Amino acid sequence: RLKRDPMATILALYPAKALIQDQLTKWKSALEPLDLVPGYIDGAVPTKERPLVLDEHRIVLMTPDVAHAWLMSNLQQREIRAFLARLRLLILDEAHVYDGVFGTNMAYFIRRLLAVSGIERVISSTATIGEPSDFLERLTGRRPYVLNQEDDGAAIPTKTILLARP
């Protein structure tokens, strides 16, 4: 998507600040061949620096609390409007944490975000949810296409289990 549309932006939401820092290195490595560098905004990034991150990066990693409290509360700012207008992909990592009351709030937030942006596609990942299709439809308001273990074409290495008795 980024190669076809040189203006497109991506927002990846991570439920925790530490998870952003953990994934940032992987994003940098994956984007290096495309000459792209991801930016991030979490609670530790000063408010006055956040618009610059949106201006300078096409891929931004963010926590949902910052996206809700800062991004959606400042839609009048030029940098935020421009980023959202070019936003084509929303990524939700660790989607299973958006359950219960937090999940209800997140579902409302996602619908507001979809209403003010150009998001065309939502991609999410989760490893520990019973009915991912129903769960993600309630969360995003969109019917998902689920890729699960049956769709995984990666080779599974053989395992050897040894039991050592004391």
Side-chain angles (χ1 to χ4, degrees), residues 15 92-99 124-127 129 135-136 139:
L92 303 171
D93 193 28
E94 302 290 336
H96 57 273
V97 304
Y98 306 126
D99 201 7
S124 65
S125 66
T126 182
I129 201 80
F135 175 81
L136 291 170
L139 182 64

Side-chain angles (χ1 to χ4, degrees), residues 16-33:
K17 204 162 79 161
L19 194 51
I20 287 177
Q21 295 306 314
D22 179 58
Q23 295 298 312
L24 200 52
T25 304
K26 294 174 185 171
W27 275 98
K28 287 177 181 177
S29 175
L31 294 171
E32 187 176 9

